[in-house]
Amino acid sequence: MPRLITVTAPSRLHFGLFGLSQGEGRMFGGVGAMVEKPVLKLRIQQAARFECAGLLADRAREFAQRWAEFHRLPLPDCRIEVLEAPPNHVGLGVGTQLGLSVAAGLNAFAGLPAAGPQELALSVGRGLRSAIGTYGFVMGGLIVEQGKLPGEPISPLDCRIDLPEEWRFVLLRPVGWQGLSGEQEEQAIGGLPRVPEKTTERLISITRDELIPAAATANFSQFAESLYQFGHLSGGMYAARQGGPYNGPLLTRLIHWLRSHGIAGVGQSSWGPTLFAALPDQHSAIVLANLLQQDHPEDPLEVAIAAPNNTGALVQSALGEVRGTGVSD
């Protein structure tokens, strides 16, 4: 039977960084979570020669070439086809999920052992700043990373927690908007002022003393309010580029609208334009999604409801065998 591998990866919400540098030389660090939707799905199957097709084909090819160079292998005779993918550059971590999906899929196709987060990231050149999407790809859940020291390949994992299955995130963004990425993102970060040490200390305190305990004990109200406080304070470090904690007047108005309607756990994922609102259950999420569509006809929004993802990406063979993306099958 011809080899056939399918990889289905979740999306990443980035709640914010601890700082642009953290004492003792650590850079970035921060908090985020994985959600079930929108998914990135690709298929790898035998072919007469190597080729890429479907959505994001050029990026998939680039990641495959990096994978081959890392493993010192020729590109296998296969066809990589991206079947589904979220929009690029909207704060959902598509680049990392695509790169790691290509790496994990090619590992399985070539019969290599399943790799852990660091090897997956290095094999396709991801994790240069944040590693939330890297750990989330393998493990799912709420991810806290420490930040990178000079010379470290990726930021070490601080902790990872399952989020309650009944919780939901309503994702919203203005139609047609994109955030920063690549060189633009590097230039923007490079031009930001130094983050006060007290700000970083407060962000770490919110995470350790409020956000993590709330997630671990399923205390939704505490989780929601600490999530907002964390994101608002972390977003302030980008004020010189964004004009405030959120990326522009429209996103700021949407955050204020959500808070005024009693939705506590709101924030911006990465540079946006995707905003998120944490809700305690599916019914509450549906009510909010409908209200958003009714109340903002002048600013059309893309609205989706996503459950937490606590398992990470799924790698399957043609026979239905599920292969782990971590260190063992």
Side-chain angles (χ1 to χ4, degrees), residues 7 67 70-71 99-109 111-124 134-139 154 311-313 315 323-329:
V7 184
W67 174 90
F70 177 86
H71 288 286
L100 301 188
S101 293
V102 169
L106 287 175
N107 284 349
F109 185 84
L112 299 178
Q118 180 170 303
E119 182 180 320
L120 286 173
L122 291 177
S123 71
V124 288
T134 297
Y135 291 112
F137 178 86
V138 175
M139 306 174 183
I154 67 171
T311 58
V315 183
R323 294 172 52 92
T325 55
V327 293
S328 62
D329 288 345

Side-chain angles (χ1 to χ4, degrees), residues 1-293:
M1 177 180 292
R3 282 174 292 177
L4 176 65
I5 302 295
T6 303
V7 184
T8 306
S11 283
R12 177 229 65 198
L13 298 180
H14 199 301
F15 300 149
L17 300 175
F18 291 140
L20 304 178
S21 65
Q22 306 162 48
E24 301 182 358
R26 287 205 175 272
M27 298 285 289
F28 310 119
V31 188
M34 306 305 289
V35 291
E36 289 285 357
K37 295 179 181 179
V39 299
L40 187 145
K41 186 173 184 179
L42 63 78
R43 179 173 58 208
I44 303 176
Q45 60 190 78
Q46 283 188 318
R49 62 185 181 278
F50 178 79
E51 59 183 340
C52 290
L55 304 168
L56 306 173
D58 290 342
R59 295 198 76 187
R61 177 182 295 275
E62 179 183 342
F63 287 130
Q65 289 170 339
R66 291 181 181 179
W67 174 90
E69 292 169 4
F70 177 86
H71 288 286
R72 298 182 181 179
L73 293 171
L75 285 167
D77 292 332
C78 68
R79 173 186 172 93
I80 301 176
E81 184 175 5
V82 180
L83 305 172
E84 297 180 52
N88 250 327
H89 313 316
V90 297
L92 296 175
V94 175
T96 294
Q97 298 310 297
L98 174 62
L100 301 188
S101 293
V102 169
L106 287 175
N107 284 349
F109 185 84
L112 299 178
Q118 180 170 303
E119 182 180 320
L120 286 173
L122 291 177
S123 71
V124 288
R126 303 304 294 183
L128 299 179
R129 284 187 293 272
S130 171
I132 289 170
T134 297
Y135 291 112
F137 178 86
V138 175
M139 306 174 183
L142 176 76
I143 301 291
V144 182
E145 58 167 332
Q146 296 177 15
K148 287 179 66 172
L149 287 172
E152 282 186 322
I154 67 171
S155 171
L157 178 68
D158 186 79
C159 75
R160 179 253 171 228
I161 298 173
D162 276 354
L163 289 176
E165 294 182 2
E166 67 271 17
W167 289 4
R168 294 292 183 269
F169 290 94
V170 173
L171 311 181
L172 59 144
R173 67 176 179 274
V175 174
W177 282 36
Q178 288 189 333
L180 296 179
S181 64
E183 291 184 8
Q184 283 187 328
E185 183 179 16
E186 291 180 12
Q187 291 171 1
I189 289 176
L192 293 173
R194 181 177 177 82
V195 178
E197 190 172 338
K198 287 186 177 180
T199 299
T200 294
E201 290 173 354
R202 176 58 182 148
L203 287 165
I204 293 173
S205 175
I206 292 171
T207 302
R208 292 179 176 172
D209 300 336
E210 301 173 37
L211 193 62
I212 290 173
T217 60
N219 184 334
F220 179 79
S221 60
Q222 180 182 325
F223 176 84
E225 184 59 30
S226 59
L227 182 60
Y228 167 74
Q229 296 295 338
F230 179 91
H232 188 271
L233 182 58
S234 180
M237 70 180 68
Y238 307 115
R241 181 64 175 79
Q242 298 186 142
Y246 310 106
N247 201 351
L250 176 54
L251 298 189
T252 300
R253 288 199 304 272
L254 287 169
I255 291 288
H256 290 165
W257 183 93
L258 288 162
R259 292 279 292 182
S260 71
H261 282 73
I263 311 300
V266 297
Q268 175 179 296
S269 183
S270 187
W271 291 98
T274 296
L275 304 178
F276 56 82
L279 279 301
D281 52 51
Q282 178 75 6
H283 174 73
S284 301
I286 292 173
V287 170
L288 176 60
N290 290 338
L291 189 59
L292 281 164
Q293 298 285 25

